[in-house]
Each structure stands twice: as C-alpha cells, then as structure tokens.
Amino acid sequence: MDLPRIFTIRESSHRIHNPLTSAQLAALGASLRLAPGTRALDLASGSGELLCTWARDHGIKGTGVDISTAFTEKARARTGELGVADRVGFVHGDACGHVADEPVDLAACVGATWIGNGVAGTTELLDRSLRPGGLMLIGEPYWRRTPPDEETVTACHATAVTDFLPLGDLIGQFQDLGYDVVEMTLADQDSWDRYTAAQWLNMRRWLDRNPDDGMAPEVREQLTTEPARYARGIREYLGWGVFALMKR
C-alpha cells in the first residue's frame, strides 16, 4: 500500500502537497484561534507540515495518516526538526475510513477528498472523528472561471466540468450538508505557481540522476507537456481553498 511513485518524484521537495505557501498555511492556523492542547486528526497528511508547524506555533497535538511511505517518513523527520515529536505522530496507512479512537477538536482533509469519494463523503468521514462543536477543515478545488471546452477541462486534471463547482456553489454545498463556513484560505496564482512549478525542477533533477530508470519515459513526458498545460488550464481556470466548517 503506497502512493504511486510518480507523485513522490514530482513532489519530492515539497513540504506542503497542495497550492498553499508556508505563509498561507501559517495564516490559516492563526485564523482558527487554536488553543494549546487542541487535539487534531489530519487525514492524507502528506509530509506533515500542517500538524508539525501548528504544534510548534499553537501547541496543538494529534495524528496524521497518509498512504505514502516516503511522505510519512518526511513527516516523522519533521517532528524532530521542529521539536514536536512529543505532540504529533504520523501513521502510514489508508486514510479512507480512518476514524480516531477518541473524538478530536479539529479534523482535517486538506486536498484529498477522494478518500471519501468527494466532499459529501469526506465530511461524513471526518465528522465521525470530530467532537460536537469541533472544527473541520476541507481543502478542495473550485472553478475560478468556467472552462470553455473539454481540452481545458482535461488540462485541469478533471474528467468533466461537473467535477468541480464555482466557489459560491462549493460554499453552498457545505451549507447544504449542514455546516457553517467559518473561515477560508484561498490559493492564488502565485501559490499555484510555487506548488506546480517546483514539480518541474524536481522531475528534471530526478531525470538527470536516473536516466535509465524505468520511470524515466513517463517523467520525461510529464516534464515536456505539463508546463504549457498548466499555463493554459489550472493557472487560469482552477481555484483551490481550505474551508473551515462547523456543524450546525
């Protein structure tokens, strides 16, 4: 059980595996007014930057679960770098269906709602771990502009325009599911650039080190096609945000 290797190659240098900068992640944590001792669960926790930096900055504690062995190892190493190993821990495992042993104050899935087959299923999954009155964090794409054609939809890594909603409709979906949207932090084009363009350098350096690896043709194809595809699609049409929710 592991994340496909192409993802760990593309995002080998990333601490945050979505289009948030470190400053935006810190601003999100500050906006939530987290009390010391807040208990958190982060599903699809990646390299653990959310839990580790918020443990350092706000004194929270908790657990992250991620299917990638490489990212989980990085997350564990990060706890030592930031001196928070006594407060947060990381489990290698499938976040789909994972429920905390005891209710938590903050339940998050930032950018991986496929673990619940979409927004509705992921809110239901997180709610199973959340104490009454707790905070839920969902990271999800939305359309900044409606794509004009199927080619643009495909360039945004979507199968159909219905895969994502406009921002107002996404917020409406959260409300229809019975949640108040109480905070949000949205990516911008610069944070998309920092997340996506860093992947190109990762791929190029990996290719230079591993020219004979069996993955090399796939990595070369992605490095050749992704920059222009990104500029035509995601950068112009796709938004992304983290939404803080409280159940009514």
Side-chain angles (χ1 to χ4, degrees):
M1 179 177 60
D2 210 334
L3 194 67
R5 191 173 170 219
I6 186 64
F7 292 102
T8 58
I9 293 171
R10 289 170 63 102
E11 301 194 14
S12 58
S13 71
H14 289 50
R15 291 197 186 278
I16 302 171
H17 299 281
N18 53 59
L20 282 187
T21 64
S22 296
Q24 289 170 324
L25 182 64
L28 174 61
S31 75
L32 299 178
R33 307 170 211 168
L34 301 168
T38 293
R39 296 161 300 163
L41 174 68
D42 188 7
L43 298 184
S45 51
S47 295
E49 196 71 355
L50 183 152
L51 282 179
C52 289
T53 57
W54 291 5
R56 177 196 62 192
D57 297 340
H58 306 291
I60 74 168
K61 57 186 179 180
T63 301
V65 181
D66 199 272
I67 199 169
S68 168
T69 54
F71 295 161
T72 301
E73 288 172 5
K74 287 178 65 176
R76 290 169 177 161
R78 190 66 166 151
T79 67
E81 293 171 5
L82 298 187
V84 296
D86 59 332
R87 277 172 272 169
V88 295
F90 295 92
V91 176
H92 171 243
D94 191 349
C96 299
H98 184 94
V99 178
D101 293 335
E102 297 181 1
V104 298
D105 306 302
L106 174 69
C109 176
V110 178
T113 56
W114 57 83
I115 69 169
N117 294 316
V119 167
T122 300
T123 57
E124 191 277 331
L125 173 60
L126 292 175
D127 185 63
R128 292 164 60 192
S129 295
L130 194 63
R131 69 163 176 82
L135 277 169
M136 182 182 295
L137 294 181
I138 298 278
E140 183 71 2
Y142 61 87
W143 293 122
R144 292 177 59 240
R145 298 162 53 196
T146 301
D149 50 44
E150 186 175 342
E151 181 181 2
T152 305
V153 170
T154 302
C156 294
H157 301 290
T159 59
V161 71
T162 53
D163 285 359
F164 308 126
L165 298 171
L167 178 58
D169 293 346
L170 177 58
I171 290 173
Q173 182 182 18
F174 292 133
Q175 293 171 329
D176 290 343
L177 290 168
Y179 291 86
D180 291 319
V181 179
V182 297
E183 256 294 357
M184 68 179 186
T185 297
L186 303 182
D188 54 27
Q189 286 181 311
D190 181 64
S191 54
W192 266 119
D193 290 348
R194 301 282 54 75
Y195 169 60
T196 305
Q199 298 175 20
W200 310 335
L201 183 57
N202 290 339
M203 288 191 286
R204 175 52 196 266
R205 287 183 168 165
W206 183 91
L207 283 168
D208 288 346
R209 293 192 304 268
N210 302 278
D212 300 321
D213 191 285
M215 288 282 300
E218 180 179 353
V219 176
R220 164 46 61 193
E221 173 66 16
Q222 290 199 14
L223 180 56
T224 301
T225 59
E226 283 296 314
R229 183 184 188 189
Y230 164 74
R232 296 187 187 108
I234 289 174
R235 195 176 196 276
E236 295 301 318
Y237 292 93
L238 197 63
W240 191 89
V242 184
F243 304 87
L245 315 174
M246 295 182 72
K247 197 171 187 179
R248 295 198 191 111

